[in-house]
Amino acid sequence: MTEASTLPADTEDGNAQTRLMPQGRDVAIGGSPLLFYAVGRDKLVSVSPEGAAHFIEECRLMEMVVEDHQSALAELSAANSNYVALMMSARRDHRFLMDKQLLQTAIVQAQHKVEDKNRVLKSVIEPLTNLSSDTNKVMELIPIRRGESSAEYFRLAYVRSHIIMAFAEEILLPRGNVDASESVMTDGLVDWEKLRSQLEEFATTGKIQIDFPWFDDWLKKEETTIDLFKWSKALNENLKYSHSIVSGEEHDRDSYRVELSAEAQLMRWTSGASGLSGEINPFEGTAFLKADAKAELVLAQAKATVDFYTPVGGLMLACELPGGQVMDLGMIRCRTLIAGAGGVGASIAAELNLNIEVSEERLQANGVPGELVSFGLPGEQRVILRENDSNHAANNEVSVGMEAFAGGKMDASMGVQLEWKSPEEGNTFQPFAKAVAGRGVLAGAGFTVDFHVRYEEGKFRISARAGACLGFGSKGKIDFEVDTDLLMEFVKWVVYQLKNIDYGKLIFIDDGAYYALSNIVAASSVSGEAVWNYLEDRVKEVSDVVQEYFYGIVDGANLAARRGDFSEKINEDLMILKHTTPDAKGMIIYWLMQTNAFDRMYPGNRDLEGWWESPSLFGFMNDRKEAVMNVLRLIQSKSELRSVMKRVVPRVGEVIDLREGQRIVEAFLAKGEKNLPPPLSSHYESDFLYLRARLRENASIGTEVYRNDSRDYFTQASVSSNFRKPCENMSDCVVY
């Protein structure tokens, strides 16, 4: 067995008490029993001299399995981070290929190491019983006496009760209670005076005077030299640390209290609080609760907040088209924050999957065995969405948790935000939807669809199989929703999914949700109002409100100026239509072409130069035509053009024949034109022909939307070099 740091005991007056020597030393056995304070049990634990060697072995094992596991997690995290950084760099030389190969090997080795070390850790946990049981659990022990030492900190050991009870004895302290918090706690803190008073009463018993004759002298020592005092002080001070990612009402300073329960001890052990070496404060150590995660621990309270991104580097979302062709849509990932306590925190630290149930807008969780490592390189995971996919059997079975994590009383709060890799933000991940407790996070059984977008109760909602977002190995489903502050980012995500699939049908979006989005962005773009102003409870209500808006600016003489403003806004900045769908573009073009007699006389609808001489000589409503052309200048491919031409209709969801749509647009652009050179004719009809000729056959994948008459558009690669690259960036937190 690999040796770890051990717990030195003291010897006095030549009495050869059992001595736990530093690493690599022999262990001498003899003398009086070892004596420990059992945290949270109001008991002392006496270890016989004959059982000292077994006790040392158990302490070393409990420390070793956690340290080895955390070391492996740190190794994997570093390898993943270095690989993603390399892939995001511009380097592509021979040295790049060598470094890539080395890091790929390092990642695979680290993944196997994590799996192996986690298996060992779980084998140690497996025999433990339910947290509600006192028969077999992790015990937190503080040595009562050890040799004089200049060490600033105390010793802290962990053992399993069923192992040491074979060679140890539990001694109930005076005024002992089932719940130690009632006997040694005051106002949520460990009360040293109460604890010392218990020990002083214990010193008067006959047993202590016989087995531990040194106990009276130990009580007279300066308290700052006593490990038990150092432990109580460090535990209380741990509550005062500042926290950057722990937030919410349940984390208010007034709610902080030291936890001494078996559940809390289990969490502290799995988080690496063992302090056998005595070289550091066990409550100030850095723990890797998950690979690639930022963890914040309040070990005194047995609370942990974990902030992590999954899968590492991103997950490629793909879509199967009719005919079997698979198109990559772009990368997504999840940012997950779990604020857990007790058994939940221990489950996270032990890298178990979580069996999570929603209850009154809280999440209750316990650890369940499951797949730990998703083998593969960062950014290489891929989920293919298929229409009417029935390959996934509904999972109606409740996962059976490891016994050691069952029966706990503490809950977890959890938030997950869904992010996409945006070409408009330097190909970094940006949040566009979020899930919180109360909306069924990881709670649904029988869910068989990988990814599904719908519109209900005035919000866009996304239901996803956990494995489609968090990566392979995750179970259940996640329900996301798009709040008003995320709505524009959600719109961008949809628009770029359409572009990357060359404006085919996004099979994972309900028709109603797609129509609602198209209506909302159409009205918002031309009105200048925020997108959320057009949210209504139902899809039809959204459509009716948008129709009312467009009919309102087209009908009547007194609104001729508003109709002029409609086209003027587009002409001043056509990029206001950058994030419109083909359906929205088609509807906007339709309403731009609607005119009446009043519009023919309104100067804002045409160039003023020469207008007084002849209203017909220089074309017909040139500003409107220019606005139509500007809408068309944001079309990204011939496929999108065909889609737009079939949707030159008054209402989103209606479709006409492609040739009919093209004829209508050509006829409007040709109105009032003369077959004469400029400036005698504006030639918008010819411009439309040139535009159709210059469009790409297929939209560029993974690149930004540009005007199709710009240099940026013509120089785009077929597929962006960043499209399939993994990415690792910090994002804004939107769930707390």
Side-chain angles (χ1 to χ4, degrees):
M1 178 181 297
T2 303
E3 292 190 341
S5 302
T6 57
L7 181 65
D10 45 354
T11 58
E12 293 185 7
D13 302 325
N15 184 8
Q17 179 179 338
T18 301
R19 182 175 178 83
L20 308 186
M21 303 299 293
Q23 182 172 337
R25 305 274 185 90
D26 293 330
V27 178
I29 300 193
S32 63
L34 294 170
L35 192 61
F36 297 87
Y37 176 74
V39 176
R41 300 168 79 94
D42 268 340
K43 294 178 181 178
L44 297 181
V45 172
S46 173
V47 179
S48 67
E50 296 76 19
H54 298 294
F55 176 80
I56 295 168
E57 185 177 14
E58 174 69 2
C59 290
R60 287 175 173 172
L61 173 65
M62 295 291 281
E63 182 183 27
M64 178 194 70
V65 293
V66 171
E67 286 189 353
D68 285 356
H69 182 236
Q70 292 199 352
S71 176
L73 289 173
E75 188 177 320
L76 176 58
S77 180
N80 281 336
S81 183
N82 290 335
Y83 179 81
V84 173
L86 178 68
M87 297 305 294
M88 290 175 65
S89 71
R91 288 177 49 201
R92 288 299 181 271
D93 54 12
H94 177 67
R95 182 64 186 175
F96 165 83
L97 296 176
M98 293 178 60
D99 290 344
K100 181 181 178 183
Q101 182 61 48
L102 288 172
L103 286 172
Q104 287 175 340
T105 302
I107 288 172
V108 172
Q109 291 175 344
Q111 288 171 339
H112 283 287
K113 186 174 182 180
V114 168
E115 187 177 52
D116 291 342
K117 299 302 181 184
N118 186 259
R119 188 181 298 113
V120 174
L121 175 61
K122 289 176 182 175
S123 71
V124 172
I125 295 172
E126 191 69 41
L128 300 177
T129 55
N130 191 299
L131 284 167
S132 61
S133 167
D134 283 329
T135 58
N136 182 19
K137 57 183 62 178
V138 168
M139 297 176 65
E140 205 168 43
L141 302 177
I142 316 294
I144 292 296
R145 183 189 70 147
R146 61 186 176 91
E148 297 293 342
S149 172
S150 60
E152 180 181 355
Y153 299 112
F154 55 92
R155 303 311 202 246
L156 182 62
Y158 290 92
V159 296
R160 291 167 296 177
S161 59
H162 74 290
I163 297 294
I164 70 162
M165 285 303 103
F167 48 82
E169 176 189 5
E170 287 187 334
I171 306 170
L172 183 65
L173 288 171
R175 293 180 282 119
N177 195 292
V178 175
D179 184 358
S181 63
E182 295 183 14
S183 57
V184 300
M185 301 279 290
T186 300
D187 296 330
L189 300 177
V190 177
D191 191 325
W192 166 245
E193 294 304 323
K194 283 186 176 181
L195 181 54
R196 188 184 188 108
S197 176
Q198 271 190 322
L199 295 172
E200 287 174 344
E201 287 187 43
F202 175 67
T204 63
T205 63
K207 179 176 178 55
I208 190 67
Q209 294 176 357
I210 296 172
D211 292 344
F212 307 100
W214 47 264
F215 199 83
D216 277 335
D217 291 335
W218 175 81
L219 281 173
K220 297 174 184 177
K221 285 186 176 183
E222 172 63 34
E223 62 185 22
T224 56
T225 67
I226 297 176
D227 276 22
L228 201 53
F229 171 78
K230 295 177 185 178
W231 163 78
S232 65
K233 182 181 178 181
L235 204 60
N236 293 339
E237 289 180 347
N238 184 250
L239 295 180
K240 304 174 184 178
Y241 295 159
S242 60
H243 309 288
S244 60
I245 61 176
V246 174
S247 60
E249 183 178 345
E250 69 273 20
H251 302 294
D252 287 345
R253 190 70 63 192
D254 293 341
S255 71
Y256 281 16
R257 58 173 286 113
V258 171
E259 289 289 344
L260 302 180
S261 65
E263 198 171 354
Q265 294 176 51
L266 178 66
M267 185 269 186
R268 284 194 283 269
W269 167 62
T270 54
S271 301
S274 179
L276 296 180
S277 66
E279 297 171 358
I280 61 170
N281 184 339
F283 301 142
E284 293 180 355
T286 300
F288 278 84
L289 296 198
K290 288 184 72 67
D292 307 292
K294 177 183 178 183
E296 196 165 81
L297 308 178
V298 188
L299 290 179
Q301 200 178 16
K303 282 192 174 182
T305 298
V306 186
D307 182 357
F308 58 99
Y309 300 93
T310 51
V312 179
L315 172 75
M316 181 60 72
L317 201 62
C319 182
E320 185 178 80
L321 304 179
Q325 181 187 7
V326 176
M327 294 282 290
D328 288 337
L329 298 170
M331 281 190 172
I332 60 171
R333 73 175 184 186
C334 282
R335 179 179 181 180
T336 305
L337 289 95
I338 303 176
V344 175
S347 299
I348 298 169
E351 280 280 336
L352 300 174
N353 288 340
L354 292 179
N355 185 30
I356 299 177
E357 297 178 358
V358 174
S359 175
E360 296 180 354
E361 298 192 356
R362 295 284 294 173
L363 294 170
Q364 295 182 331
N366 63 284
V368 295
E371 181 181 356
L372 170 65
V373 180
S374 295
F375 287 92
L377 299 174
E380 286 194 349
Q381 291 194 33
R382 192 172 187 233
V383 168
I384 301 175
L385 308 180
R386 295 179 171 86
E387 194 166 18
N388 301 321
D389 193 354
S390 58
N391 291 334
H392 301 295
N395 179 16
N396 293 308
E397 297 181 3
V398 178
S399 297
V400 178
M402 294 188 75
E403 184 71 10
F405 298 96
K409 300 177 182 178
M410 299 184 183
D411 295 334
S413 59
M414 181 176 183
V416 187
Q417 61 191 51
L418 187 59
E419 304 179 350
W420 74 296
K421 196 168 76 170
S422 170
E424 295 187 6
E425 299 295 334
N427 293 287
T428 58
F429 285 101
Q430 304 297 319
F432 69 93
K434 66 181 181 180
V436 292
R439 289 302 307 179
V441 182
L442 294 178
F447 187 73
T448 61
V449 180
D450 274 331
F451 204 85
H452 178 240
V453 179
R454 65 192 186 281
Y455 184 85
E456 63 182 31
E457 299 176 356
K459 284 188 176 182
F460 291 96
R461 304 188 189 278
I462 303 171
S463 294
R465 183 182 291 275
C469 296
L470 300 177
F472 303 118
S474 302
K475 308 298 182 184
K477 74 161 183 171
I478 309 178
D479 284 334
F480 297 96
E481 61 184 33
V482 181
D483 285 348
T484 54
D485 56 340
L486 296 174
L487 184 54
M488 197 60 228
E489 199 64 38
F490 172 77
V491 168
K492 294 178 183 179
W493 172 70
V494 172
V495 167
Y496 278 96
Q497 304 310 288
L498 283 166
K499 181 173 179 287
N500 292 339
I501 204 173
D502 199 20
Y503 301 95
K505 180 178 175 59
L506 294 174
I507 60 174
F508 56 88
I509 300 182
D510 274 355
D511 288 345
Y514 178 74
Y515 296 156
L517 182 139
S518 297
N519 272 308
I520 288 167
V521 296
S524 172
S525 298
V526 298
S527 69
E529 296 184 32
V531 284
W532 54 80
N533 285 341
Y534 293 94
L535 292 173
E536 300 291 339
D537 282 346
R538 296 193 294 271
V539 173
K540 185 179 184 304
E541 292 172 357
V542 173
S543 179
D544 291 344
V545 168
V546 172
Q547 288 301 297
E548 183 179 350
Y549 168 77
F550 280 108
Y551 273 112
I553 64 173
V554 170
D555 187 35
N558 61 329
L559 295 176
R562 284 186 61 185
R563 293 192 289 276
D565 291 342
F566 178 21
S567 56
E568 186 177 346
K569 284 180 182 178
I570 296 173
N571 293 337
E572 286 178 351
D573 182 15
L574 81 165
M575 300 309 285
I576 63 174
L577 304 177
K578 182 176 183 178
H579 304 117
T580 51
T581 64
D583 295 68
K585 289 185 177 76
M587 185 173 68
I588 290 171
I589 289 173
Y590 174 87
W591 289 111
L592 282 170
M593 296 191 304
Q594 303 311 299
T595 61
N596 56 35
F598 301 102
D599 291 299
R600 295 175 62 91
M601 304 302 294
Y602 179 64
N605 283 327
R606 56 167 294 134
D607 294 333
L608 292 179
E609 182 182 356
W611 185 83
W612 296 106
E613 287 80 3
S614 174
S616 62
L617 180 60
F618 295 94
F620 173 84
M621 305 188 71
N622 289 357
D623 274 13
R624 292 282 191 96
K625 291 179 179 179
E626 182 66 17
V628 169
M629 287 301 301
N630 276 328
V631 177
L632 295 170
R633 289 180 184 118
L634 284 175
I635 289 176
Q636 299 297 294
S637 69
K638 292 182 178 179
S639 178
E640 186 185 9
L641 177 65
R642 290 190 291 270
S643 183
V644 171
M645 291 298 102
K646 290 191 288 185
R647 290 163 175 81
V648 182
V649 291
R651 183 184 289 268
V652 166
E654 297 176 357
V655 179
I656 59 175
D657 182 73
L658 167 64
R659 288 169 294 182
E660 176 63 13
Q662 190 167 300
R663 184 195 66 77
I664 294 171
V665 175
E666 288 175 346
F668 177 76
L669 295 174
K671 278 186 179 180
E673 301 292 336
K674 302 293 182 181
N675 190 20
L676 296 170
L680 301 178
S681 177
S682 56
H683 290 278
Y684 280 110
E685 183 183 15
S686 300
D687 286 349
F688 184 36
L689 291 173
Y690 296 145
L691 182 146
R692 281 146 51 189
R694 69 172 177 255
L695 285 174
R696 305 172 63 100
E697 287 295 330
N698 304 107
S700 175
I701 297 173
T703 57
E704 195 169 344
V705 170
Y706 291 112
R707 292 174 54 129
N708 57 41
D709 58 354
S710 68
R711 184 176 183 275
D712 288 325
Y713 177 80
F714 291 121
T715 57
Q716 285 178 327
S718 297
V719 180
S720 167
S721 59
N722 294 307
F723 183 62
R724 294 185 173 88
K725 283 184 181 179
C727 179
E728 186 177 55
N729 68 283
M730 294 292 293
S731 59
D732 293 334
C733 180
V734 298
V735 293
Y736 285 152

